[in-house]
Amino acid sequence: MILVERLIVHAGSFRLENISFQVPEGGYAVLMGKTGCGKTTLLEAIAGLKAISHGRIVLDGSDVTRLKPAERNVGLVPQDAALFTTMSVRDHLAFALMIRKVPRAVIRRRVAELAEMLEIGHLLDRYPAGLSGGETQRVALGRALSFRPATLLLDEPLSALDDQTRDQMMGLLKRVQAETKVTTLHVTHNRREASRLANLLLELVDGRVEMSRSGSPVDARPTPAERQETRSH
Amino acid sequence: MGAIGATYVLLILFMLLADAAYMVTGETRHTISPEWTQDHPVLAKVVNSPIVAAMAKQEIRYSIVLSLISCTMTALLSLVVAIPVGYLLSRHRFFGRNLLDAILDIPIVLPPLVVGLSLLILFRYFPAAIREAVVYEIPAVILAQFAVACAFAVRTMRATFDQIDARREQVALTLGCSRVQAFGLVVLPESMRGVLTAGTLAWARALGEFGPLLIFAGATRNKTEVLSTTVFLELSIGNLEAAVAVSLIMVAAAVFVLIVARLWGTRSLTL
């Protein structure tokens, strides 16, 4: 569950005022809004990377407002993936577990499991410089999920991808979320992404979050037209 | 435009070429019998070359060794300071940041002689025991080199960290890292090329340092004499050949450092 209550963030010239919303346990919320309206700032505030002026953030039942990013149990996939250039794909998937001093054998099993789920087994010894856009995003997703976080934050993860790769990634995101049941907040300005992935649609307008479509959760099942589209690829 | 550029490039190359040519055509001192020289003209050129003659002098060998040691110490010390300071300046906004930034530029813009004199004056306020252990002794050599070289290393490290996306550290923090871990495991490995560049730059600066050394460490043979001092001392006793020979040794060292920095360092930051 993600619960944000009366959140106020001052970030340079603009501010987020009195933001409140809730994403239920295991839900997939898509947050829409124009470029520069503060979507990334909101994600950063939830992840603990941006200081907030006021408000409360509750993740997975515990108040994390005063906790450090490391203590929030949040997986973050930033817009440009921000992979670590000196690490192999395998190192990326193992990194969070290594920090937690998880035994090597367990890490090896987890890396294999993630590689299979994200279909990146053949990339494990490669470095970020040699990866395509879609591969990069899969690795970033794997890195964010490696330590089984309760919350997953995605910042326009598909914006840099071509249409075909984007469709594949949407399928993957859906499947991964169904498998892991991780509560997801996905930021985008792409309506198609939103309608295909979201079971809760949020919109950030003038520094406020509104539940769009009269606040009712969007049906997560693909529409017949969408199913047609998926098949055509 | 092209002509102006070409003139400058030629000036640089001809300067070095002239040094080298002087070594070959300058008058040779026959250290070995003239007969042997006539029998082995090529070998004789090498044996009688001023560089070999210079290397034969014990004072010059001492100054080479002291230069290598002091420059390396300076480069390492500069990195120890430049890495944290560069990171602080690159990542954090705090009160007095611009002032700190400006202060760190002082050694770059200050006339070198003034740096040396200021160090000398500063140590007048130290207890006699410390002053005697430092001033006109080897520590003064390193301190004088460090005072200037470190400022360049700080600039380079700051530019290096500026080029590394802060987003990566943020991701590392969400993955469970403390700030120190995020720096040590993510940022530092990514900045290794910059570290190498900063280190070689500091090393090269230290090698060329002269003014502050002369004032703060003196130019005592077999004590505080480094290569740049040697050039000065040899010139002052009219031994032009030895001065040029030692200069060529420094050119070789500088070229070596340039190649290292170009090959492994960050291209956009080099020297």
Side-chain angles (χ1 to χ4, degrees):
Chain A
M1 179 191 69
I2 303 171
L3 173 65
V4 173
E5 272 183 353
R6 295 190 299 283
L7 185 74
I8 299 179
V9 182
H10 296 240
S13 54
F14 75 92
R15 41 200 285 161
L16 293 171
E17 284 290 358
N18 224 0
I19 304 256
S20 295
F21 65 91
Q22 187 176 349
V23 182
E25 191 79 47
Y28 197 124
V30 171
L31 176 70
M32 308 231 353
K34 288 194 205 96
T35 309
C37 71
K39 303 188 297 274
T40 299
T41 306
L42 182 56
L43 283 194
E44 285 173 348
I46 295 171
L49 300 169
K50 180 131 292 176
I52 66 171
S53 314
H54 181 79
R56 202 164 77 100
I57 299 166
V58 178
L59 298 177
D60 197 29
S62 51
D63 188 331
V64 299
T65 317
R66 303 267 159 254
L67 293 187
K68 288 185 183 139
E71 300 161 341
R72 297 192 179 200
N73 202 20
V74 164
L76 173 68
V77 178
Q79 186 168 2
D80 54 358
L83 294 187
F84 307 139
T85 52
T86 55
M87 291 187 205
S88 67
V89 170
R90 188 190 307 279
D91 294 340
H92 277 86
L93 301 182
F95 187 75
L97 303 176
M98 190 199 77
I99 294 290
R100 288 167 173 73
K101 300 198 164 54
V102 171
R104 279 168 175 277
V106 179
I107 296 183
R108 223 173 296 132
R109 270 203 305 278
R110 180 65 179 148
V111 168
E113 195 179 297
L114 285 162
E116 195 194 331
M117 178 167 79
L118 300 164
E119 295 156 14
I120 50 175
H122 58 295
L123 303 174
L124 284 178
D125 293 316
R126 298 259 291 272
Y127 283 81
L131 301 179
S132 72
E135 289 166 347
T136 300
Q137 290 299 338
R138 282 165 195 256
V139 175
L141 186 60
R143 178 180 62 182
L145 290 170
S146 59
F147 56 104
R148 303 181 198 279
T151 314
L152 179 64
L153 303 175
L154 307 170
D155 190 359
E156 308 206 16
L158 314 178
S159 63
L161 305 179
D162 61 72
D163 283 347
Q164 193 183 342
T165 317
R166 177 178 297 189
D167 278 347
Q168 284 172 3
M169 279 299 288
M170 279 198 272
L172 179 77
L173 279 173
K174 236 174 157 160
R175 188 160 56 74
V176 165
Q177 208 259 343
E179 272 177 43
T180 58
K181 304 274 187 295
V182 60
T183 309
T184 307
L185 181 59
H186 175 143
V187 159
T188 181
H189 52 246
N190 184 318
R191 292 226 164 255
R192 214 163 65 83
E193 246 171 80
S195 63
R196 174 136 177 232
L197 291 166
N199 50 31
L200 175 67
L201 194 60
L202 304 168
E203 191 139 16
L204 191 59
V205 186
D206 300 330
R208 305 179 64 86
V209 166
E210 291 168 6
M211 295 246 235
S212 66
R213 302 200 186 165
S214 63
S216 63
V218 178
D219 191 343
R221 283 169 300 174
T223 60
E226 259 190 335
R227 245 178 266 136
Q228 190 64 44
E229 187 183 66
T230 320
R231 222 173 286 140
S232 69
H233 284 302
Chain B
M1 294 282 262
I4 297 173
T7 312
Y8 184 52
V9 170
L10 285 177
L11 176 68
I12 297 171
L13 292 179
F14 278 139
M15 271 187 336
L16 299 183
L17 216 59
D19 282 347
Y22 185 79
M23 284 290 94
V24 180
T25 58
E27 66 177 284
T28 7
R29 292 166 197 206
H30 295 285
T31 47
I32 297 171
S33 67
E35 295 80 35
W36 189 88
T37 309
Q38 278 196 334
D39 289 348
H40 307 90
V42 179
L43 263 183
K45 260 288 182 229
V46 176
V47 173
N48 291 330
S49 85
I51 293 187
V52 173
M55 295 288 268
K57 286 173 84 172
Q58 191 271 331
E59 299 90 354
I60 293 183
R61 283 207 304 275
Y62 177 90
S63 103
I64 291 175
V65 171
L66 181 60
S67 282
L68 291 178
I69 293 174
S70 65
C71 291
T72 307
M73 290 283 286
T74 298
L76 293 177
L77 273 175
S78 298
L79 286 179
V80 167
V81 173
I83 292 173
V85 174
Y87 188 68
L88 187 76
L89 283 173
S90 169
R91 288 294 192 269
H92 296 279
R93 303 281 171 271
F94 52 89
F95 180 75
R97 179 170 170 272
N98 287 339
L99 184 67
L100 177 64
D101 200 20
I103 291 173
L104 288 167
D105 269 342
I106 291 177
I108 295 175
V109 295
L110 218 56
L113 282 174
V114 177
V115 174
L117 188 63
S118 307
L119 279 171
L120 195 62
I121 302 296
L122 170 69
F123 271 78
R124 286 171 68 99
Y125 294 98
F126 277 59
I130 296 180
R131 186 168 63 232
E132 275 159 26
V134 175
V135 181
Y136 301 131
E137 299 289 337
I138 291 175
V141 174
I142 296 170
L143 191 56
Q145 290 175 342
F146 169 80
V148 177
C150 186
F152 288 90
V154 168
R155 285 273 147 262
T156 310
M157 284 321 299
R158 188 201 165 159
T160 302
F161 292 129
D162 280 345
Q163 286 176 10
I164 295 173
D165 187 3
R167 192 68 74 189
R168 301 205 187 114
E169 287 139 85
Q170 297 187 331
V171 170
L173 291 179
T174 67
L175 291 172
C177 285
S178 65
R179 285 201 170 275
V180 175
Q181 283 175 320
F183 179 76
L185 297 172
V186 175
V187 184
L188 205 52
E190 299 209 4
S191 66
M192 274 335 278
R193 293 166 79 88
V195 170
L196 191 76
T197 307
T200 47
L201 182 54
W203 199 91
R205 280 279 149 188
L207 185 70
E209 178 103 349
F210 175 64
L213 277 178
L214 198 61
I215 296 176
F216 187 50
T220 319
R221 299 221 104 156
N222 284 322
K223 193 169 168 197
T224 56
E225 179 185 349
V226 289
L227 286 171
S228 54
T229 334
T230 305
V231 174
F232 173 74
L233 288 175
E234 293 294 341
L235 265 183
S236 67
I237 55 170
N239 191 353
L240 185 57
E241 290 201 344
V244 178
V246 174
S247 296
L248 277 179
I249 295 172
M250 290 171 80
V251 168
V255 168
F256 176 74
V257 162
L258 196 67
I259 290 172
V260 168
R262 285 273 149 171
L263 283 183
W264 291 292
T266 317
R267 242 165 192 284
S268 55
L269 297 174
T270 9
L271 305 187

